[in-house]
């Protein structure tokens, strides 16, 4: 099963690349200095991605330090490193022969923070990543907000029209006062012989007036920018990320909002420098659902497969609730017949199961192209060749299989606990030992991509749905 991606975060100082799991785990990582030449930076990204690439990698997500048109996958402009003159996506896809997703680097970081970091559970979030420069991103209703093309350039909020020139062409953007580059300038202008922000905090704590002024010169413009964000966007929370995010939050602690109207929670991001690379990898699993749905023309099926009592029906319903796709199940077709026929033996029950199986595929075969069906069944009760014949006859173009995995003892206990709920005709308590053995040796059908779902714990529906869409898009 392919459930990993490559995430790349192009920073002003370093390029980070990593193998990222669908859960957002970093499985392997690389870091190299960022070349100042854009073409060399692209070649460095290609080389790092090649070093991490394996057959299981679904694609490469890249966080770009600049404005990005996500729909056209075009880099519109850059700041400290301007990649806009390069055919970036085409070159990377040609070199790796894998799909590429690009997004503003701070938007990638916010994606990770909302999924597994400091903004998990929030729907409306603004984030600034403070490093060599200042990146910005906004999420509205749980999704990255792009506006016309490239909204979220929060580092270019003007806090002083007479301030230093900014790479964007204006003066006094908050990036020119409160970035890591600006902090080094403040330290040099104050004549401090220190290297790190930690040393500045230490000197300020000991009463050094020059260090106190450095922190104020660095933090006051940032406070003004945050107040402007609060006034215009009213986010639930503002995250400060990047290499200096935690330090910026600390410097702001003594600078309350200027007005009581504009007081959102301001929190340090939790993923630090890893946020960008994690979000870049996750972008491969969380491509925009509507655009994929428009591209899909053939019929699609999701086989929710597993032995009896493996949690298939609950998973199928949860997936249907999220997507609106209909569920067709063996029991859903068979049980009405059992209600009317009454008790039957196991052989007759199996015959009804075969007929129900055929009925499911007949319905799908008669359906128009472009529809998606969720099939809830223990597919192993029939040969794989039969399933392949049904798939071919129904003209299915896209197959994804969710394999519901449980230990035999768990399946047996669940089945036994539900015996009173089952209609006469279903196997009784005598079936439990057989089921335990079956569950321990059962395997998925493998007629398409397979994702194993551990049904001893609550399934992560966001991960599952992102994987399903990725499979359909890839096929």
């Amino acid at each position: 099963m392919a459930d990993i991606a490559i995430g790349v975060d192009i920073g002003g100082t370093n390029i980070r690349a990593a193998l990222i799991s669908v859960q957002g785990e970093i499985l392997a990582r690389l870091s190299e200095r960022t070349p100042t030449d854009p073409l060399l930076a692209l070649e460095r990204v290609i080389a790092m991605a090649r070093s991490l690439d394996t057959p299981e990698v679904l694609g490469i997500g890249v966080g770009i330090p600049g404005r990005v048109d996500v729909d056209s996958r075009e880099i519109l402009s850059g700041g400290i490193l301007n990649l806009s003159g390069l055919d970036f996506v085409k070159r990377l896809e040609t070199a790796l022969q894998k799909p590429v997703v690009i997004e503003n680097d701070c938007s990638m970081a916010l994606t990770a923070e909302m999924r597994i970091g400091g903004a998990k559970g929030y729907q409306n979030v603004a984030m600034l990543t403070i490093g060599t420069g200042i990146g910005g991103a906004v999420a509205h209703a749980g999704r990255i907000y792009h506006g016309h093309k490239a909204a979220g350039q929060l580092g270019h909020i003007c806090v002083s029209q007479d301030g230093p020139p900014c790479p964007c062409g204006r003066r006094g953007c908050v990036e020119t006062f409160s970035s890591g580059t600006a902090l080094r300038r403040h330290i040099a202008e104050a004549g401090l012989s220190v290297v790190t922000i930690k040393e500045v905090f230490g000197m300020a704590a000991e009463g050094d007036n020059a260090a106190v002024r450095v922190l104020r010169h660095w933090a006051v413009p940032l406070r003004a920018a945050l107040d402007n964000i609060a006034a215009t966007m009213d986010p639930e929370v503002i995250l400060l990320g990047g290499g200096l995010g935690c330090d910026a939050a600390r410097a702001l602690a003594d600078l309350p909002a200027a007005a009581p109207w504009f007081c959102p929670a301001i929190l340090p991001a939790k993923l630090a420098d890893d946020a960008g690379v994690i979000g870049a990898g996750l972008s491969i699993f969380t491509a925009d659902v509507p655009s994929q749905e428009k591209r899909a023309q053939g019929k699609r099926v999701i086989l929710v497969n597993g032995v009896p009592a493996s949690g298939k029906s609950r998973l199928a319903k949860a997936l249907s609730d999220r997507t609106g796709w209909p569920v067709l199940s063996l029991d859903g077709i068979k049980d009405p017949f059992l209600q009317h026929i009454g008790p039957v033996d196991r052989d007759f029950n199996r015959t009804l199961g075969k007929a129900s199986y055929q009925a499911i595929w007949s319905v799908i075969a008669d359906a128009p192209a472009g529809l998606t069906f969720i099939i809830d069944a223990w597919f192993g009760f029939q040969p794989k060749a039969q399933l392949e014949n049904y798939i071919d006859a129904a003209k299915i173009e896209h197959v994804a299989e969710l394999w519901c995995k449980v230990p035999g003892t768990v399946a047996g206990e669940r089945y036994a606990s539900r015996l009173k709920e089952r209609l006469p005709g279903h196997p009784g308590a005598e079936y439990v030992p057989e089921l335990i053995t079956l569950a321990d040796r059962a395997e998925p059908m493998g007629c398409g991509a397979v994702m194993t779902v551990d049904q001893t714990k609550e399934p992560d529906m966001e991960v599952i749905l992102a994987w399903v869409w990725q499979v359909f898009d890839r096929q």
Side-chain angles (χ1 to χ4, degrees), residues 72-252:
S72 68
R73 301 192 301 170
E74 178 186 1
I75 300 173
L76 302 175
S77 64
I80 295 170
L81 179 67
N82 191 350
L83 300 169
S84 60
L86 302 178
D87 195 352
F88 188 94
V89 172
K90 183 177 180 180
R91 290 191 184 203
L92 189 54
E93 285 187 334
T94 299
L96 275 296
Q97 293 297 299
K98 299 280 177 72
V100 171
V101 172
I102 64 170
E103 172 68 278
N104 169 263
D105 53 356
C106 191
S107 294
M108 291 295 198
L110 180 53
T111 294
E113 291 289 347
M114 292 184 70
R115 175 69 180 281
I116 60 173
K120 185 175 181 180
Y122 292 101
Q123 295 293 301
N124 300 288
V125 184
M127 180 175 181
L128 289 86
T129 51
I130 303 174
T132 306
I134 294 182
V138 176
H140 172 68
R143 298 174 65 86
I144 298 297
Y145 177 72
H146 295 106
H148 172 54
K149 285 187 178 180
Q153 304 300 305
L154 306 182
H156 297 286
I157 293 174
C158 180
V159 292
S160 174
Q161 293 182 349
D162 298 324
C166 179
C168 77
R170 301 189 301 168
R171 284 183 171 272
C173 294
V174 66
E175 178 175 287
T176 67
F177 287 100
S178 302
S179 65
T181 302
L183 176 62
R184 288 192 293 273
R185 187 182 74 245
H186 294 318
I187 291 172
E189 290 174 350
L192 299 182
S193 57
V194 297
V195 176
T196 68
I197 182 67
K198 300 295 188 295
E199 293 174 289
V200 178
F201 277 122
M203 293 177 66
E206 294 175 358
D208 187 290
N209 290 330
V212 171
R213 285 194 298 272
V214 165
L215 292 176
R216 290 190 63 83
H217 289 160
W218 188 54
V220 168
L222 180 60
R223 175 75 262 183
L226 299 184
D227 289 346
N228 286 334
I229 293 169
T232 55
M233 301 177 191
D234 191 24
E236 297 169 84
V237 63
I238 298 177
L239 286 188
L240 299 181
L244 291 169
C246 290
D247 298 306
R250 179 180 175 184
L252 289 168

Side-chain angles (χ1 to χ4, degrees), residues 13-72:
T13 303
N14 295 300
I15 297 175
R16 296 177 176 87
L19 282 179
I20 305 297
S21 75
V22 72
Q23 290 82 20
E25 302 163 304
I26 295 179
L27 306 177
R29 70 170 80 216
L30 298 171
S31 179
E32 296 191 20
R33 299 288 290 184
T34 304
T36 56
D37 179 82
L39 183 57
L40 290 179
L42 170 58
E43 292 174 350
R44 187 70 50 82
V45 169
I46 291 173
M48 295 171 75
R50 278 177 170 158
S51 296
L52 293 169
D53 193 22
T54 70
E56 291 75 26
V57 167
L58 290 176
I60 301 97
V62 185
I64 302 294
R67 296 168 61 243
V68 174
D69 183 341
V70 173
D71 288 338
S72 68

Side-chain angles (χ1 to χ4, degrees), residues 167-429:
C168 77
R170 301 189 301 168
R171 284 183 171 272
C173 294
V174 66
E175 178 175 287
T176 67
F177 287 100
S178 302
S179 65
T181 302
L183 176 62
R184 288 192 293 273
R185 187 182 74 245
H186 294 318
I187 291 172
E189 290 174 350
L192 299 182
S193 57
V194 297
V195 176
T196 68
I197 182 67
K198 300 295 188 295
E199 293 174 289
V200 178
F201 277 122
M203 293 177 66
E206 294 175 358
D208 187 290
N209 290 330
V212 171
R213 285 194 298 272
V214 165
L215 292 176
R216 290 190 63 83
H217 289 160
W218 188 54
V220 168
L222 180 60
R223 175 75 262 183
L226 299 184
D227 289 346
N228 286 334
I229 293 169
T232 55
M233 301 177 191
D234 191 24
E236 297 169 84
V237 63
I238 298 177
L239 286 188
L240 299 181
L244 291 169
C246 290
D247 298 306
R250 179 180 175 184
L252 289 168
D254 296 328
L255 297 174
W261 284 6
F262 312 129
C263 301
I266 299 172
L267 303 175
K270 289 185 177 180
L271 303 177
D273 285 345
D274 288 336
V277 75
I278 292 172
L282 289 176
S283 71
I284 294 296
F285 305 109
T286 56
D288 186 61
V289 170
S291 65
Q292 294 185 42
E293 193 164 15
K294 290 175 185 176
R295 290 200 298 270
Q297 298 298 322
K299 283 183 276 192
R300 300 158 295 194
V301 293
I302 302 170
L303 311 179
V304 183
N305 189 15
V307 301
S310 60
K312 301 186 303 299
S313 297
R314 186 164 175 257
L315 178 60
K317 184 180 185 304
L319 188 59
S320 179
D321 289 343
R322 291 290 190 101
T323 61
W325 298 329
V327 177
L328 297 174
S329 70
L330 286 181
D331 286 347
I333 294 176
K334 184 175 61 172
D335 282 355
F337 289 93
L338 290 176
Q339 288 174 349
H340 286 276
I341 295 171
V344 300
D345 60 25
R346 186 170 178 182
D347 286 340
F348 192 84
N349 179 62
R350 189 175 183 85
T351 299
L352 281 178
K354 291 179 181 179
S356 301
Y357 195 42
Q358 182 177 345
I360 285 172
W361 288 104
S362 295
V363 169
I364 296 173
D366 291 339
L371 296 183
T372 303
F373 295 90
I374 301 168
I375 308 177
D376 164 16
W378 159 229
F379 290 88
F381 89 107
Q382 289 288 279
K384 180 177 180 180
Q386 181 66 70
L387 174 59
E388 292 172 335
N389 289 338
Y390 282 144
I391 289 172
D392 290 341
K395 296 182 173 56
I396 305 300
E397 294 188 14
H398 310 278
V399 179
E401 181 178 358
L402 298 175
W403 173 241
C404 299
K405 181 67 174 176
V406 293
T409 53
V410 173
E413 290 171 0
R414 290 179 180 175
Y415 191 90
S417 69
R418 300 170 189 170
L419 285 174
K420 293 181 179 179
E421 302 169 10
R422 294 184 176 274
L423 290 171
H426 287 283

